[in-house]
Amino acid sequence: MKHSISTIVAAFAFATSTSYAMPGLLYPEHHTWSPPTDSDVRSPCPCLNSLSNHGFLPHSGRNLTMDKLIKAFKEGVNLGPDATTFAGGLAMKSNPIPNATWFDLDMLDQHNFPIEHDGSLSRADAYFGNNHDFSPEVWGAYMARLEGHEIISIELASKARAEHVYAQSLINPEFFLNEDLLGDSLLETALLISIFGDPALGNAKKSWIESFFRNERFPVSEGWEPRADEANLTTATAMIGKLQASLPEGVPILFGNQPE
Ligand code: HEM
Ligand SMILES: *[C@@H]1O[C@H](CO)[C@@H](O)[C@H](O)[C@H]1NC(C)=O
Ligand SMILES: *[C@@H]1O[C@H](CO)[C@@H](O)[C@H](O)[C@H]1NC(C)=O
Ligand SMILES: *[C@@H]1O[C@H](CO)[C@@H](O)[C@H](O)[C@H]1NC(C)=O
């Protein structure tokens, strides 16, 4: 099943839009954060996990439907319905029941399909036995590439991601990243710097991202709030294009035996 974002990238011109001041959206749910209980399930995605911890999504992490996802991503991080429908549609494929219209967060652990991939920023590769939980070691290796920067530009995000992925590939003899999975990885970085920065310009605040990954909690107490201008499929696609344009030279981007 072909879902490469590059096919979508081709359909859009690069957006260069203005950014707006953050107006202080109503955000009461951030007060209700609580960590997962033993019976709750979580995913390898820091954003889905945070939305569940804050109660935008069911705290159980189970039975997520498209309606619930669209509402949670809009209210929680101001992600538009088109982007949530795209990513949520992929996520449904992780449910072993064919054509399911819901999924549980832990179904997303499935390796190399539909979204999970090697070379994550904060999780070890499946080869090492746990692609699910936050890994301080893997995250530390990624953060070291951002040393000396408070703000993560598009160029820095692109370079750090590509170099981190390459470094991970050198320690995993089964490392694999095809075009679809590369598209997933780029989309994740695009959304990250959109939501903690600007959906057109990136420039995300590193301390917010650090806190978000470590705690799976939106850094409201550190001054973050959802932006007024949403991130959506148009902005994310343009952002992926800019990340691709900033890939460092001489660093491999696809790994493993690729189909013709
Ligand atoms: C319906 C929407 C979404 C779905 C289904 C989804 C699903 C996933 C999955 C399955 C992964 C694991 C990939 C891997 O590293 O192997 C992932 C990673 C990630 N997601 Fe999401 N995601 C969604 C929305 C978002 C949003 C809005 C953000 C914005 C902050 C985000 C940020 C990330 C980041 C940064 C990673 C990479 C984590 C890492 O490399 O350690 N996701 N997502
Ligand atoms: C909710 O999820 C469980 C598995 O976590 C599943 O057995 C059940 O059928 C789901 N219920 C609905 C209404 O989708
Ligand atoms: C799933 O959807 C496809 C395409 O819409 C259809 O051909 C197939 O029969 C469906 N499978 C089940 C088990 O419902
Ligand atoms: C996507 O977001 C941009 C910037 O926030 C906005 O200008 C545009 O109208 C949105 N597009 C759609 C289809 O909602």
Side-chain angles (χ1 to χ4, degrees), residues 120-140:
S120 300
L121 309 181
S122 70
R123 268 68 176 167
D125 291 348
Y127 176 82
F128 297 107
N130 183 351
N131 63 354
H132 175 86
D133 293 308
F134 177 81
S135 159
E137 293 74 27
V138 175
W139 180 245

PDB file of all heavy atoms in Angstrom, residues 120-140:
ATOM      1  N   SER A 120      13.942   6.158  14.964  1.00  0.00           N
ATOM      2  CA  SER A 120      13.122   7.122  15.708  1.00  0.00           C
ATOM      3  C   SER A 120      14.011   8.057  16.512  1.00  0.00           C
ATOM      4  O   SER A 120      15.152   7.723  16.828  1.00  0.00           O
ATOM      5  CB  SER A 120      12.174   6.391  16.652  1.00  0.00           C
ATOM      6  OG  SER A 120      11.321   5.539  15.922  1.00  0.00           O
ATOM      7  N   LEU A 121      13.447   9.189  16.854  1.00  0.00           N
ATOM      8  CA  LEU A 121      14.200  10.183  17.624  1.00  0.00           C
ATOM      9  C   LEU A 121      14.308   9.785  19.086  1.00  0.00           C
ATOM     10  O   LEU A 121      15.265  10.168  19.761  1.00  0.00           O
ATOM     11  CB  LEU A 121      13.516  11.551  17.530  1.00  0.00           C
ATOM     12  CG  LEU A 121      13.184  12.048  16.111  1.00  0.00           C
ATOM     13  CD1 LEU A 121      12.525  13.421  16.178  1.00  0.00           C
ATOM     14  CD2 LEU A 121      14.439  12.096  15.241  1.00  0.00           C
ATOM     15  N   SER A 122      13.327   9.040  19.583  1.00  0.00           N
ATOM     16  CA  SER A 122      13.240   8.806  21.030  1.00  0.00           C
ATOM     17  C   SER A 122      12.943   7.366  21.412  1.00  0.00           C
ATOM     18  O   SER A 122      12.746   7.083  22.588  1.00  0.00           O
ATOM     19  CB  SER A 122      12.141   9.689  21.619  1.00  0.00           C
ATOM     20  OG  SER A 122      10.863   9.237  21.208  1.00  0.00           O
ATOM     21  N   ARG A 123      12.872   6.487  20.434  1.00  0.00           N
ATOM     22  CA  ARG A 123      12.627   5.076  20.716  1.00  0.00           C
ATOM     23  C   ARG A 123      13.737   4.269  20.077  1.00  0.00           C
ATOM     24  O   ARG A 123      14.229   4.634  19.002  1.00  0.00           O
ATOM     25  CB  ARG A 123      11.294   4.606  20.124  1.00  0.00           C
ATOM     26  CG  ARG A 123      10.075   4.705  21.041  1.00  0.00           C
ATOM     27  CD  ARG A 123       9.651   6.108  21.347  1.00  0.00           C
ATOM     28  NE  ARG A 123       8.422   6.144  22.161  1.00  0.00           N
ATOM     29  CZ  ARG A 123       7.972   7.224  22.782  1.00  0.00           C
ATOM     30  NH1 ARG A 123       8.629   8.371  22.715  1.00  0.00           N
ATOM     31  NH2 ARG A 123       6.862   7.170  23.483  1.00  0.00           N
ATOM     32  N   ALA A 124      14.113   3.136  20.690  1.00  0.00           N
ATOM     33  CA  ALA A 124      15.085   2.238  20.071  1.00  0.00           C
ATOM     34  C   ALA A 124      14.424   1.530  18.892  1.00  0.00           C
ATOM     35  O   ALA A 124      13.199   1.443  18.803  1.00  0.00           O
ATOM     36  CB  ALA A 124      15.581   1.228  21.099  1.00  0.00           C
ATOM     37  N   ASP A 125      15.236   1.016  17.983  1.00  0.00           N
ATOM     38  CA  ASP A 125      14.704   0.232  16.870  1.00  0.00           C
ATOM     39  C   ASP A 125      14.115  -1.086  17.390  1.00  0.00           C
ATOM     40  O   ASP A 125      14.593  -1.646  18.382  1.00  0.00           O
ATOM     41  CB  ASP A 125      15.814  -0.088  15.860  1.00  0.00           C
ATOM     42  CG  ASP A 125      16.288   1.147  15.113  1.00  0.00           C
ATOM     43  OD1 ASP A 125      15.619   2.202  15.200  1.00  0.00           O
ATOM     44  OD2 ASP A 125      17.331   1.058  14.434  1.00  0.00           O
ATOM     45  N   ALA A 126      13.108  -1.598  16.663  1.00  0.00           N
ATOM     46  CA  ALA A 126      12.459  -2.856  17.036  1.00  0.00           C
ATOM     47  C   ALA A 126      13.487  -3.977  17.217  1.00  0.00           C
ATOM     48  O   ALA A 126      13.331  -4.847  18.080  1.00  0.00           O
ATOM     49  CB  ALA A 126      11.433  -3.246  15.980  1.00  0.00           C
ATOM     50  N   TYR A 127      14.557  -3.964  16.411  1.00  0.00           N
ATOM     51  CA  TYR A 127      15.628  -4.967  16.489  1.00  0.00           C
ATOM     52  C   TYR A 127      16.138  -5.145  17.922  1.00  0.00           C
ATOM     53  O   TYR A 127      16.497  -6.240  18.331  1.00  0.00           O
ATOM     54  CB  TYR A 127      16.764  -4.545  15.563  1.00  0.00           C
ATOM     55  CG  TYR A 127      17.985  -5.427  15.610  1.00  0.00           C
ATOM     56  CD1 TYR A 127      18.032  -6.618  14.869  1.00  0.00           C
ATOM     57  CD2 TYR A 127      19.092  -5.086  16.395  1.00  0.00           C
ATOM     58  CE1 TYR A 127      19.156  -7.434  14.919  1.00  0.00           C
ATOM     59  CE2 TYR A 127      20.213  -5.895  16.440  1.00  0.00           C
ATOM     60  CZ  TYR A 127      20.240  -7.068  15.699  1.00  0.00           C
ATOM     61  OH  TYR A 127      21.343  -7.874  15.743  1.00  0.00           O
ATOM     62  N   PHE A 128      16.164  -4.058  18.680  1.00  0.00           N
ATOM     63  CA  PHE A 128      16.707  -4.111  20.042  1.00  0.00           C
ATOM     64  C   PHE A 128      15.653  -4.477  21.083  1.00  0.00           C
ATOM     65  O   PHE A 128      15.929  -4.483  22.270  1.00  0.00           O
ATOM     66  CB  PHE A 128      17.381  -2.788  20.398  1.00  0.00           C
ATOM     67  CG  PHE A 128      18.562  -2.480  19.510  1.00  0.00           C
ATOM     68  CD1 PHE A 128      18.489  -1.494  18.538  1.00  0.00           C
ATOM     69  CD2 PHE A 128      19.743  -3.215  19.637  1.00  0.00           C
ATOM     70  CE1 PHE A 128      19.577  -1.226  17.710  1.00  0.00           C
ATOM     71  CE2 PHE A 128      20.832  -2.946  18.810  1.00  0.00           C
ATOM     72  CZ  PHE A 128      20.750  -1.953  17.845  1.00  0.00           C
ATOM     73  N   GLY A 129      14.415  -4.755  20.630  1.00  0.00           N
ATOM     74  CA  GLY A 129      13.426  -5.339  21.529  1.00  0.00           C
ATOM     75  C   GLY A 129      12.371  -4.412  22.105  1.00  0.00           C
ATOM     76  O   GLY A 129      11.385  -4.885  22.675  1.00  0.00           O
ATOM     77  N   ASN A 130      12.536  -3.098  21.991  1.00  0.00           N
ATOM     78  CA  ASN A 130      11.507  -2.193  22.523  1.00  0.00           C
ATOM     79  C   ASN A 130      11.443  -0.922  21.690  1.00  0.00           C
ATOM     80  O   ASN A 130      12.239  -0.005  21.881  1.00  0.00           O
ATOM     81  CB  ASN A 130      11.795  -1.869  23.992  1.00  0.00           C
ATOM     82  CG  ASN A 130      10.715  -0.998  24.617  1.00  0.00           C
ATOM     83  OD1 ASN A 130       9.816  -0.494  23.919  1.00  0.00           O
ATOM     84  ND2 ASN A 130      10.780  -0.825  25.931  1.00  0.00           N
ATOM     85  N   ASN A 131      10.497  -0.891  20.776  1.00  0.00           N
ATOM     86  CA  ASN A 131      10.315   0.297  19.917  1.00  0.00           C
ATOM     87  C   ASN A 131       9.199   1.189  20.453  1.00  0.00           C
ATOM     88  O   ASN A 131       8.707   2.066  19.749  1.00  0.00           O
ATOM     89  CB  ASN A 131       9.980  -0.145  18.486  1.00  0.00           C
ATOM     90  CG  ASN A 131       8.655  -0.917  18.409  1.00  0.00           C
ATOM     91  OD1 ASN A 131       8.045  -1.216  19.431  1.00  0.00           O
ATOM     92  ND2 ASN A 131       8.214  -1.228  17.211  1.00  0.00           N
ATOM     93  N   HIS A 132       8.764   0.948  21.684  1.00  0.00           N
ATOM     94  CA  HIS A 132       7.535   1.539  22.225  1.00  0.00           C
ATOM     95  C   HIS A 132       7.812   2.641  23.258  1.00  0.00           C
ATOM     96  O   HIS A 132       7.252   3.738  23.181  1.00  0.00           O
ATOM     97  CB  HIS A 132       6.710   0.412  22.846  1.00  0.00           C
ATOM     98  CG  HIS A 132       5.472   0.852  23.548  1.00  0.00           C
ATOM     99  ND1 HIS A 132       4.277   1.036  22.901  1.00  0.00           N
ATOM    100  CD2 HIS A 132       5.232   1.150  24.843  1.00  0.00           C
ATOM    101  CE1 HIS A 132       3.349   1.418  23.765  1.00  0.00           C
ATOM    102  NE2 HIS A 132       3.909   1.508  24.957  1.00  0.00           N
ATOM    103  N   ASP A 133       8.688   2.305  24.200  1.00  0.00           N
ATOM    104  CA  ASP A 133       8.917   3.222  25.318  1.00  0.00           C
ATOM    105  C   ASP A 133       9.959   4.279  24.979  1.00  0.00           C
ATOM    106  O   ASP A 133      10.893   4.020  24.223  1.00  0.00           O
ATOM    107  CB  ASP A 133       9.393   2.443  26.547  1.00  0.00           C
ATOM    108  CG  ASP A 133       8.305   1.532  27.086  1.00  0.00           C
ATOM    109  OD1 ASP A 133       7.187   2.026  27.317  1.00  0.00           O
ATOM    110  OD2 ASP A 133       8.570   0.319  27.251  1.00  0.00           O
ATOM    111  N   PHE A 134       9.795   5.444  25.567  1.00  0.00           N
ATOM    112  CA  PHE A 134      10.812   6.484  25.490  1.00  0.00           C
ATOM    113  C   PHE A 134      12.157   5.905  25.928  1.00  0.00           C
ATOM    114  O   PHE A 134      12.246   5.242  26.961  1.00  0.00           O
ATOM    115  CB  PHE A 134      10.402   7.644  26.412  1.00  0.00           C
ATOM    116  CG  PHE A 134      11.406   8.753  26.474  1.00  0.00           C
ATOM    117  CD1 PHE A 134      11.454   9.710  25.471  1.00  0.00           C
ATOM    118  CD2 PHE A 134      12.295   8.844  27.533  1.00  0.00           C
ATOM    119  CE1 PHE A 134      12.391  10.735  25.519  1.00  0.00           C
ATOM    120  CE2 PHE A 134      13.234   9.868  27.586  1.00  0.00           C
ATOM    121  CZ  PHE A 134      13.274  10.815  26.581  1.00  0.00           C
ATOM    122  N   SER A 135      13.187   6.154  25.124  1.00  0.00           N
ATOM    123  CA  SER A 135      14.533   5.690  25.467  1.00  0.00           C
ATOM    124  C   SER A 135      15.424   6.895  25.750  1.00  0.00           C
ATOM    125  O   SER A 135      15.729   7.664  24.846  1.00  0.00           O
ATOM    126  CB  SER A 135      15.125   4.880  24.301  1.00  0.00           C
ATOM    127  OG  SER A 135      16.534   4.852  24.401  1.00  0.00           O
ATOM    128  N   PRO A 136      15.856   7.068  26.994  1.00  0.00           N
ATOM    129  CA  PRO A 136      16.734   8.202  27.312  1.00  0.00           C
ATOM    130  C   PRO A 136      18.013   8.187  26.466  1.00  0.00           C
ATOM    131  O   PRO A 136      18.534   9.246  26.111  1.00  0.00           O
ATOM    132  CB  PRO A 136      17.056   8.018  28.800  1.00  0.00           C
ATOM    133  CG  PRO A 136      15.955   7.167  29.337  1.00  0.00           C
ATOM    134  CD  PRO A 136      15.513   6.284  28.205  1.00  0.00           C
ATOM    135  N   GLU A 137      18.506   6.982  26.141  1.00  0.00           N
ATOM    136  CA  GLU A 137      19.750   6.886  25.368  1.00  0.00           C
ATOM    137  C   GLU A 137      19.542   7.402  23.948  1.00  0.00           C
ATOM    138  O   GLU A 137      20.337   8.194  23.443  1.00  0.00           O
ATOM    139  CB  GLU A 137      20.242   5.432  25.322  1.00  0.00           C
ATOM    140  CG  GLU A 137      20.705   4.865  26.660  1.00  0.00           C
ATOM    141  CD  GLU A 137      19.560   4.544  27.623  1.00  0.00           C
ATOM    142  OE1 GLU A 137      18.432   4.259  27.143  1.00  0.00           O
ATOM    143  OE2 GLU A 137      19.788   4.596  28.851  1.00  0.00           O
ATOM    144  N   VAL A 138      18.490   6.922  23.290  1.00  0.00           N
ATOM    145  CA  VAL A 138      18.247   7.328  21.902  1.00  0.00           C
ATOM    146  C   VAL A 138      17.923   8.820  21.847  1.00  0.00           C
ATOM    147  O   VAL A 138      18.442   9.558  21.004  1.00  0.00           O
ATOM    148  CB  VAL A 138      17.108   6.483  21.277  1.00  0.00           C
ATOM    149  CG1 VAL A 138      16.760   6.988  19.887  1.00  0.00           C
ATOM    150  CG2 VAL A 138      17.513   5.012  21.223  1.00  0.00           C
ATOM    151  N   TRP A 139      17.096   9.264  22.773  1.00  0.00           N
ATOM    152  CA  TRP A 139      16.729  10.683  22.807  1.00  0.00           C
ATOM    153  C   TRP A 139      17.957  11.548  23.086  1.00  0.00           C
ATOM    154  O   TRP A 139      18.149  12.601  22.478  1.00  0.00           O
ATOM    155  CB  TRP A 139      15.643  10.910  23.879  1.00  0.00           C
ATOM    156  CG  TRP A 139      15.181  12.327  24.002  1.00  0.00           C
ATOM    157  CD1 TRP A 139      15.344  13.133  25.092  1.00  0.00           C
ATOM    158  CD2 TRP A 139      14.480  13.112  23.018  1.00  0.00           C
ATOM    159  NE1 TRP A 139      14.785  14.372  24.845  1.00  0.00           N
ATOM    160  CE2 TRP A 139      14.250  14.379  23.587  1.00  0.00           C
ATOM    161  CE3 TRP A 139      14.033  12.858  21.721  1.00  0.00           C
ATOM    162  CZ2 TRP A 139      13.592  15.404  22.890  1.00  0.00           C
ATOM    163  CZ3 TRP A 139      13.381  13.878  21.030  1.00  0.00           C
ATOM    164  CH2 TRP A 139      13.167  15.120  21.611  1.00  0.00           C
ATOM    165  N   GLY A 140      18.810  11.075  23.984  1.00  0.00           N
ATOM    166  CA  GLY A 140      20.027  11.819  24.303  1.00  0.00           C
ATOM    167  C   GLY A 140      20.929  11.972  23.086  1.00  0.00           C
ATOM    168  O   GLY A 140      21.533  13.032  22.863  1.00  0.00           O
TER     169      GLY A 140
END
